[in-house]
Amino acid sequence: KEIMALLWVDRVRRFFVATTSSTEPAAPITRIRWQRIPQGAQRLNVVVAQPVVVEKYYEAAGMIDFHNRPRQGELDLEKSVKTKRWDMRVNHTMFAMGVVNCYSVASRVHSGERIPPKLWFTKLAEDLINNQVSSRLSRRLKRNISEEVHPMATHPSSGTGGRLSPRRRKVSEGSNETVQQRCKWCKTKKTIWVCTESRDGGAQYESFCHGKSGRECFHLHWNATHQ
């Protein structure tokens, strides 16, 4: 297949190698440039001629930056997950590309205010950690709990809506034990689970028993408060 090599000068020299398109003249572009004059400097509108192959390239080149910017600048797995193994680096990069693709789709599907990439990545990570879609109740709980009575016993943590999320604060520095607080609904049991949509008078999230424990506290709270 024939290959075309091209040198194009805008502000600097740019080299192109292509297997398609042509060097036929395309619509010229206008650049703003500063020019030195005896009184200082002035801005000029400079018209730059460009061939078709350059025009076609820059029509799509911006999408590469749109993808690389959140992947390397916001997610930044290359720096946060350090490795010298090439296979792990390739897998991390492919995973990061998939995450950015999900963000790109979500930003087009959901209307309203745009969610910053870093905040969206954080919410996605929380949902992946706390996701209960594939979890199953034990046989003991299945015998004691009716799905009709307790439909949120395995309430999934998905999307960016309200859900139960485990508390992350530890009892003390260096401890593996998570802080537990009394359930806001039954006021008897202590739990590490909090509702992401409910806060007390301060800034802390309110605690509720998880459905996996066989209690309906979160389900009852959700229907009474957020439905």
Side-chain angles (χ1 to χ4, degrees), residues 25 38 54 96 135 189:
V54 174
S135 65
K189 298 294 184 179

Side-chain angles (χ1 to χ4, degrees), residues 75-90 92-93:
L75 190 58
D76 201 13
L77 284 183
E78 287 80 1
K79 291 184 179 179
S80 58
V81 183
K82 297 184 181 298
T83 179
K84 294 183 178 179
R85 292 176 51 183
W86 69 268
D87 56 335
M88 290 188 64
R89 173 58 59 225
V90 171
H92 289 160
T93 301

Side-chain angles (χ1 to χ4, degrees), residues 148-199:
E148 296 181 358
V149 176
H150 198 342
M152 297 183 71
T154 55
H155 177 63
S157 172
S158 59
T160 57
R163 64 193 184 280
L164 280 176
S165 179
R167 193 182 302 276
R168 289 170 174 75
R169 184 159 57 91
K170 302 300 181 181
V171 173
S172 60
E173 186 177 354
S175 173
N176 292 326
E177 185 179 355
T178 305
V179 171
Q180 297 188 36
Q181 290 190 349
R182 204 167 298 280
C183 173
K184 189 74 173 179
W185 189 268
C186 67
K187 303 185 186 306
T188 56
K189 298 294 184 179
K190 287 189 175 182
T191 177
I192 66 170
W193 296 92
V194 297
C195 176
T196 59
E197 294 294 316
S198 301
R199 293 178 183 265

Side-chain angles (χ1 to χ4, degrees), residues 101-194:
N101 285 337
C102 291
Y103 168 72
S104 178
V105 172
S107 63
R108 286 167 169 77
V109 171
H110 296 286
S111 59
E113 185 178 356
R114 176 179 175 272
I115 301 178
K118 185 169 291 187
L119 176 60
W120 193 89
F121 295 150
T122 302
K123 288 181 176 291
L124 176 63
E126 291 179 352
D127 287 338
L128 289 175
I129 292 171
N130 304 328
N131 190 12
Q132 303 294 327
V133 171
S134 59
S135 65
R136 295 183 179 179
L137 294 174
S138 65
R139 291 183 179 180
R140 177 177 60 83
L141 292 178
K142 280 184 176 180
R143 289 197 300 268
N144 298 333
I145 300 176
S146 168
E147 287 296 326
E148 296 181 358
V149 176
H150 198 342
M152 297 183 71
T154 55
H155 177 63
S157 172
S158 59
T160 57
R163 64 193 184 280
L164 280 176
S165 179
R167 193 182 302 276
R168 289 170 174 75
R169 184 159 57 91
K170 302 300 181 181
V171 173
S172 60
E173 186 177 354
S175 173
N176 292 326
E177 185 179 355
T178 305
V179 171
Q180 297 188 36
Q181 290 190 349
R182 204 167 298 280
C183 173
K184 189 74 173 179
W185 189 268
C186 67
K187 303 185 186 306
T188 56
K189 298 294 184 179
K190 287 189 175 182
T191 177
I192 66 170
W193 296 92
V194 297

Side-chain angles (χ1 to χ4, degrees), residues 22-27 50-52:
S22 69
T23 57
E24 294 293 326
Q50 63 173 350
V52 174

Side-chain angles (χ1 to χ4, degrees), residues 185 195 198 206 208 216-226:
W185 189 268
C195 176
S198 301
E206 295 180 339
F208 295 94
E216 303 179 19
C217 300
F218 177 65
H219 170 58
L220 297 173
H221 155 75
W222 188 265
N223 285 340
T225 308
H226 302 295

